[in-house]
Amino acid sequence: MKNKRKICIMGMGYIGLPTAALLANRDYQVHGVDIHQHVIDTINRGEIHIVEPELDTYVSAAVQSGSLVANIEPSEADIFMIAVPTPFHADKINEITNSPIPNVDYIVDATKNIASYIKPGNLVLLESTSPVGTTDMMASVLKKEGVDIDSIFIAHSPERVLPGHIMRELIENDRVVGGVNDESTKKAAEFYQTFVEGEVLETTAKTAEMAKLTENSFRDVNIAFANELSILCDDMDIDVRELISLANRHPRVDVLNPGCGVGGHCISVDPWFIVDSANGKAKMVEQARRTNDYKADWVVEKIKNKALQFEKDNGRVPVIACMGLAFKPNIDDLRESPAAYIANELSKDMKVVAIEPNISTHTTLDLVSVDEGKKADICVYLVAHREFVDIKQGKYILDFAGVVKNV
Ligand code: SAJ
C-alpha cells in the first residue's frame, strides 16, 4: 500500500467532518479530533451527528476502509487543519459599537493542542471564519508554544460551503488561500488543488480572512434590504414577494428573499467581526445586522397582533403553530435561528406548538407533527421546509417564509 499523506483535523463539526470524510475518500489518512466523546464515538461507528446530504455515505465508507479515525487527542501528521467554531464572548460587549466581540478561544486552544505534534515541513491550516489577523495570531501562539514557525507553513483558507450542499461545494467552489508568507500560500494552494475542482486563488492571510467576512456581509446586507422592503410593504398592503419578483425582472436587479430574520452560525455572526474591528466605520454592515435581527422581533409582534384578533373573534386564546425552527429550509441546524427565537419568545406568554420535521426533541418547545400543527388556531410559517408545501390558506395564517402563495 502506498504511503498516504496524513492530515489531522481539529473540530468534527459542520466543516471539519465533511472535509475529513471527503479527504479520507481521496487518498488521505485522516485523524479527526473533537472535544466531545460522543462525537468521536459516533464517527468511529461510521455514523454522523449532523444532518447533511451524502455525508453519511462518505463517513461510513471512510471509517470502514480505515482511512478516517476520530480521537479526542491530535496525532502527528503532514497537515493540520483547524475547523473549530468562532462564537462571541458571552460576557463582553464592544462599547464603541455596542456589538458582540468575537471569541477565538477555540482556535487558540486547538492551536496549543497541536503544537507538540508539529514537525518541520508541516502545513498548518486555519479554515474557521476568523477576524482579520487571526492567522498571524495563530502563528504567534505556535511560536510561544515552542514551534519553529520558520520551518513550517501556515495559511488560512476560509470554508465557504453552503449547508445542505457541502459535499458538492467542497469540491466545486473556488477557494481563497492566504499564507503568512508566500511559501505558505504556495504549499496550502498545492494541498487544496489535490481535491478542489474550482480555482484555487492565492492571496495573503489577512485578505483571505477579510474575503470570507466580505462574502457573508454582502449577503447579510442584501437580505436586510429584502427584510426592510417586507416591513415597508406590510404598511403599504403590498405583497412583497410579488413586488420582488417584478423588480427582479429588471436585467440588473436581484433582490433576495425576505424571511423571519437571518440565522445560522455564519451570516448572522461574521459581519459583527468586521463591525468589532472597524471603530464605528462599518455603518452599512452594522445596520444590516440590526435590521435582520429586528425582523425577528417585528415577526413576534405581528403574531401577537394576530393572536389578539383571534381572541377577539373567538372569545378564547389561540394555539399558535410555529412551522419550522431551523435557521433555513430542510436542515436540522437551530444555531442562531430566528424561527427558534420567535417560537421561544411567543411561548413565554402564549400557547405555542412547534413543528420541525428535521429534529425529534427540543428542550423548551412542545414539538408536534406537521398534521397536528395544521390543526392549530393560528399557523405561522417561519421556515419553508419541503414538508410544508401545498398548505391550505386561511384567515389565521401568517407566512413569513414564502410557503403559502397569495395569502
Ligand atoms: N436568507 C434569507 N433570504 C435569502 C437567503 C437567505 O432570509 O434570500 C436567510 C436564511 O433563511 C438563513 C440565513 O439567511 O437564516 C443564512 O442562510 P444562507 O443560505 O444565505 O447561508 P448559510 O448561513 O447557510 O451559509 C453561508 C454561505 N455564504 C454565502 O452565501 C455568502 C456559505 O457559502 C458559507 O460557507 C457559510 O455562510 C459559512 O459557513 O460562512
PDB file of all heavy atoms in Angstrom, residues 260 324-327 334 336-345 362 365 382-383:
ATOM      1  N   CYS A 260     -37.958  35.488   8.236  1.00  0.00           N
ATOM      2  CA  CYS A 260     -38.292  35.900   9.608  1.00  0.00           C
ATOM      3  C   CYS A 260     -37.042  36.392  10.333  1.00  0.00           C
ATOM      4  O   CYS A 260     -37.047  36.562  11.549  1.00  0.00           O
ATOM      5  CB  CYS A 260     -38.970  34.766  10.348  1.00  0.00           C
ATOM      6  SG  CYS A 260     -37.922  33.335  10.609  1.00  0.00           S
ATOM      7  N   GLY A 324     -41.631  25.317  11.558  1.00  0.00           N
ATOM      8  CA  GLY A 324     -40.204  25.439  11.282  1.00  0.00           C
ATOM      9  C   GLY A 324     -39.463  26.126  12.415  1.00  0.00           C
ATOM     10  O   GLY A 324     -39.914  27.137  12.945  1.00  0.00           O
ATOM     11  N   LEU A 325     -38.337  25.525  12.807  1.00  0.00           N
ATOM     12  CA  LEU A 325     -37.478  26.119  13.843  1.00  0.00           C
ATOM     13  C   LEU A 325     -36.048  26.301  13.338  1.00  0.00           C
ATOM     14  O   LEU A 325     -35.294  27.090  13.886  1.00  0.00           O
ATOM     15  CB  LEU A 325     -37.427  25.211  15.086  1.00  0.00           C
ATOM     16  CG  LEU A 325     -38.718  24.993  15.867  1.00  0.00           C
ATOM     17  CD1 LEU A 325     -38.469  24.004  17.006  1.00  0.00           C
ATOM     18  CD2 LEU A 325     -39.246  26.314  16.440  1.00  0.00           C
ATOM     19  N   ALA A 326     -35.679  25.575  12.299  1.00  0.00           N
ATOM     20  CA  ALA A 326     -34.288  25.609  11.816  1.00  0.00           C
ATOM     21  C   ALA A 326     -33.977  26.986  11.233  1.00  0.00           C
ATOM     22  O   ALA A 326     -34.874  27.781  10.975  1.00  0.00           O
ATOM     23  CB  ALA A 326     -34.088  24.535  10.759  1.00  0.00           C
ATOM     24  N   PHE A 327     -32.703  27.269  11.011  1.00  0.00           N
ATOM     25  CA  PHE A 327     -32.374  28.613  10.548  1.00  0.00           C
ATOM     26  C   PHE A 327     -32.619  28.799   9.056  1.00  0.00           C
ATOM     27  O   PHE A 327     -32.644  29.917   8.559  1.00  0.00           O
ATOM     28  CB  PHE A 327     -30.955  29.021  10.972  1.00  0.00           C
ATOM     29  CG  PHE A 327     -29.831  28.596  10.059  1.00  0.00           C
ATOM     30  CD1 PHE A 327     -29.498  29.332   8.934  1.00  0.00           C
ATOM     31  CD2 PHE A 327     -29.077  27.473  10.348  1.00  0.00           C
ATOM     32  CE1 PHE A 327     -28.461  28.950   8.098  1.00  0.00           C
ATOM     33  CE2 PHE A 327     -28.028  27.081   9.530  1.00  0.00           C
ATOM     34  CZ  PHE A 327     -27.733  27.823   8.397  1.00  0.00           C
ATOM     35  N   LEU A 334     -30.245  24.579  14.329  1.00  0.00           N
ATOM     36  CA  LEU A 334     -31.015  25.630  15.015  1.00  0.00           C
ATOM     37  C   LEU A 334     -30.108  26.776  15.498  1.00  0.00           C
ATOM     38  O   LEU A 334     -30.563  27.660  16.219  1.00  0.00           O
ATOM     39  CB  LEU A 334     -31.757  25.039  16.223  1.00  0.00           C
ATOM     40  CG  LEU A 334     -33.198  24.583  15.996  1.00  0.00           C
ATOM     41  CD1 LEU A 334     -33.321  23.598  14.864  1.00  0.00           C
ATOM     42  CD2 LEU A 334     -33.786  23.981  17.257  1.00  0.00           C
ATOM     43  N   GLU A 336     -28.462  30.082  16.079  1.00  0.00           N
ATOM     44  CA  GLU A 336     -28.862  31.484  15.838  1.00  0.00           C
ATOM     45  C   GLU A 336     -30.139  31.555  14.996  1.00  0.00           C
ATOM     46  O   GLU A 336     -30.338  32.510  14.251  1.00  0.00           O
ATOM     47  CB  GLU A 336     -27.772  32.294  15.096  1.00  0.00           C
ATOM     48  CG  GLU A 336     -26.319  31.990  15.433  1.00  0.00           C
ATOM     49  CD  GLU A 336     -25.969  32.296  16.859  1.00  0.00           C
ATOM     50  OE1 GLU A 336     -26.594  33.188  17.444  1.00  0.00           O
ATOM     51  OE2 GLU A 336     -25.072  31.613  17.393  1.00  0.00           O
ATOM     52  N   SER A 337     -31.003  30.550  15.131  1.00  0.00           N
ATOM     53  CA  SER A 337     -32.181  30.531  14.264  1.00  0.00           C
ATOM     54  C   SER A 337     -33.217  31.563  14.697  1.00  0.00           C
ATOM     55  O   SER A 337     -33.689  31.535  15.841  1.00  0.00           O
ATOM     56  CB  SER A 337     -32.821  29.142  14.299  1.00  0.00           C
ATOM     57  OG  SER A 337     -34.095  29.220  13.707  1.00  0.00           O
ATOM     58  N   PRO A 338     -33.619  32.471  13.789  1.00  0.00           N
ATOM     59  CA  PRO A 338     -34.658  33.435  14.161  1.00  0.00           C
ATOM     60  C   PRO A 338     -35.991  32.727  14.427  1.00  0.00           C
ATOM     61  O   PRO A 338     -36.757  33.158  15.282  1.00  0.00           O
ATOM     62  CB  PRO A 338     -34.747  34.375  12.952  1.00  0.00           C
ATOM     63  CG  PRO A 338     -34.080  33.661  11.831  1.00  0.00           C
ATOM     64  CD  PRO A 338     -33.115  32.680  12.433  1.00  0.00           C
ATOM     65  N   ALA A 339     -36.246  31.616  13.703  1.00  0.00           N
ATOM     66  CA  ALA A 339     -37.505  30.893  13.897  1.00  0.00           C
ATOM     67  C   ALA A 339     -37.577  30.329  15.317  1.00  0.00           C
ATOM     68  O   ALA A 339     -38.608  30.447  16.000  1.00  0.00           O
ATOM     69  CB  ALA A 339     -37.617  29.765  12.873  1.00  0.00           C
ATOM     70  N   ALA A 340     -36.483  29.740  15.790  1.00  0.00           N
ATOM     71  CA  ALA A 340     -36.467  29.187  17.154  1.00  0.00           C
ATOM     72  C   ALA A 340     -36.608  30.327  18.171  1.00  0.00           C
ATOM     73  O   ALA A 340     -37.311  30.199  19.177  1.00  0.00           O
ATOM     74  CB  ALA A 340     -35.170  28.416  17.381  1.00  0.00           C
ATOM     75  N   TYR A 341     -35.955  31.462  17.886  1.00  0.00           N
ATOM     76  CA  TYR A 341     -36.057  32.631  18.775  1.00  0.00           C
ATOM     77  C   TYR A 341     -37.515  33.099  18.863  1.00  0.00           C
ATOM     78  O   TYR A 341     -38.050  33.339  19.952  1.00  0.00           O
ATOM     79  CB  TYR A 341     -35.154  33.749  18.235  1.00  0.00           C
ATOM     80  CG  TYR A 341     -35.409  35.110  18.833  1.00  0.00           C
ATOM     81  CD1 TYR A 341     -34.872  35.463  20.082  1.00  0.00           C
ATOM     82  CD2 TYR A 341     -36.203  36.056  18.163  1.00  0.00           C
ATOM     83  CE1 TYR A 341     -35.120  36.712  20.632  1.00  0.00           C
ATOM     84  CE2 TYR A 341     -36.445  37.306  18.708  1.00  0.00           C
ATOM     85  CZ  TYR A 341     -35.906  37.623  19.944  1.00  0.00           C
ATOM     86  OH  TYR A 341     -36.152  38.863  20.488  1.00  0.00           O
ATOM     87  N   ILE A 342     -38.175  33.175  17.713  1.00  0.00           N
ATOM     88  CA  ILE A 342     -39.565  33.653  17.664  1.00  0.00           C
ATOM     89  C   ILE A 342     -40.477  32.703  18.454  1.00  0.00           C
ATOM     90  O   ILE A 342     -41.282  33.133  19.284  1.00  0.00           O
ATOM     91  CB  ILE A 342     -40.021  33.778  16.186  1.00  0.00           C
ATOM     92  CG1 ILE A 342     -39.276  34.929  15.518  1.00  0.00           C
ATOM     93  CG2 ILE A 342     -41.538  33.969  16.084  1.00  0.00           C
ATOM     94  CD1 ILE A 342     -39.289  34.901  13.992  1.00  0.00           C
ATOM     95  N   ALA A 343     -40.328  31.399  18.217  1.00  0.00           N
ATOM     96  CA  ALA A 343     -41.171  30.413  18.916  1.00  0.00           C
ATOM     97  C   ALA A 343     -40.946  30.496  20.426  1.00  0.00           C
ATOM     98  O   ALA A 343     -41.898  30.458  21.215  1.00  0.00           O
ATOM     99  CB  ALA A 343     -40.860  29.010  18.398  1.00  0.00           C
ATOM    100  N   ASN A 344     -39.700  30.652  20.836  1.00  0.00           N
ATOM    101  CA  ASN A 344     -39.400  30.764  22.275  1.00  0.00           C
ATOM    102  C   ASN A 344     -39.978  32.044  22.873  1.00  0.00           C
ATOM    103  O   ASN A 344     -40.525  32.032  23.976  1.00  0.00           O
ATOM    104  CB  ASN A 344     -37.890  30.717  22.515  1.00  0.00           C
ATOM    105  CG  ASN A 344     -37.399  29.282  22.634  1.00  0.00           C
ATOM    106  OD1 ASN A 344     -37.981  28.469  23.352  1.00  0.00           O
ATOM    107  ND2 ASN A 344     -36.351  28.957  21.908  1.00  0.00           N
ATOM    108  N   GLU A 345     -39.847  33.157  22.153  1.00  0.00           N
ATOM    109  CA  GLU A 345     -40.406  34.430  22.644  1.00  0.00           C
ATOM    110  C   GLU A 345     -41.917  34.301  22.838  1.00  0.00           C
ATOM    111  O   GLU A 345     -42.461  34.729  23.855  1.00  0.00           O
ATOM    112  CB  GLU A 345     -40.123  35.560  21.641  1.00  0.00           C
ATOM    113  CG  GLU A 345     -38.727  36.109  21.691  1.00  0.00           C
ATOM    114  CD  GLU A 345     -38.359  36.705  23.045  1.00  0.00           C
ATOM    115  OE1 GLU A 345     -39.012  37.674  23.468  1.00  0.00           O
ATOM    116  OE2 GLU A 345     -37.429  36.163  23.676  1.00  0.00           O
ATOM    117  N   HIS A 362     -36.880  18.853  21.595  1.00  0.00           N
ATOM    118  CA  HIS A 362     -36.460  20.231  21.855  1.00  0.00           C
ATOM    119  C   HIS A 362     -36.574  20.476  23.347  1.00  0.00           C
ATOM    120  O   HIS A 362     -37.505  20.001  23.984  1.00  0.00           O
ATOM    121  CB  HIS A 362     -37.325  21.226  21.070  1.00  0.00           C
ATOM    122  CG  HIS A 362     -36.746  22.591  21.057  1.00  0.00           C
ATOM    123  ND1 HIS A 362     -36.968  23.497  22.059  1.00  0.00           N
ATOM    124  CD2 HIS A 362     -35.914  23.206  20.180  1.00  0.00           C
ATOM    125  CE1 HIS A 362     -36.311  24.617  21.797  1.00  0.00           C
ATOM    126  NE2 HIS A 362     -35.659  24.460  20.664  1.00  0.00           N
ATOM    127  N   LEU A 365     -39.483  23.696  23.748  1.00  0.00           N
ATOM    128  CA  LEU A 365     -40.717  23.802  22.962  1.00  0.00           C
ATOM    129  C   LEU A 365     -41.420  22.452  22.809  1.00  0.00           C
ATOM    130  O   LEU A 365     -40.776  21.403  22.787  1.00  0.00           O
ATOM    131  CB  LEU A 365     -40.400  24.379  21.579  1.00  0.00           C
ATOM    132  CG  LEU A 365     -39.899  25.825  21.596  1.00  0.00           C
ATOM    133  CD1 LEU A 365     -39.208  26.169  20.283  1.00  0.00           C
ATOM    134  CD2 LEU A 365     -41.052  26.800  21.857  1.00  0.00           C
ATOM    135  N   LEU A 382     -42.557  29.919   9.444  1.00  0.00           N
ATOM    136  CA  LEU A 382     -41.299  30.610   9.727  1.00  0.00           C
ATOM    137  C   LEU A 382     -40.183  30.111   8.816  1.00  0.00           C
ATOM    138  O   LEU A 382     -39.237  30.842   8.536  1.00  0.00           O
ATOM    139  CB  LEU A 382     -40.913  30.393  11.196  1.00  0.00           C
ATOM    140  CG  LEU A 382     -41.912  30.947  12.224  1.00  0.00           C
ATOM    141  CD1 LEU A 382     -41.520  30.527  13.634  1.00  0.00           C
ATOM    142  CD2 LEU A 382     -42.002  32.462  12.126  1.00  0.00           C
ATOM    143  N   VAL A 383     -40.278  28.855   8.388  1.00  0.00           N
ATOM    144  CA  VAL A 383     -39.241  28.255   7.533  1.00  0.00           C
ATOM    145  C   VAL A 383     -39.943  27.468   6.418  1.00  0.00           C
ATOM    146  O   VAL A 383     -40.898  26.748   6.685  1.00  0.00           O
ATOM    147  CB  VAL A 383     -38.351  27.263   8.331  1.00  0.00           C
ATOM    148  CG1 VAL A 383     -37.133  26.852   7.503  1.00  0.00           C
ATOM    149  CG2 VAL A 383     -37.895  27.861   9.656  1.00  0.00           C
TER     150      VAL A 383
END
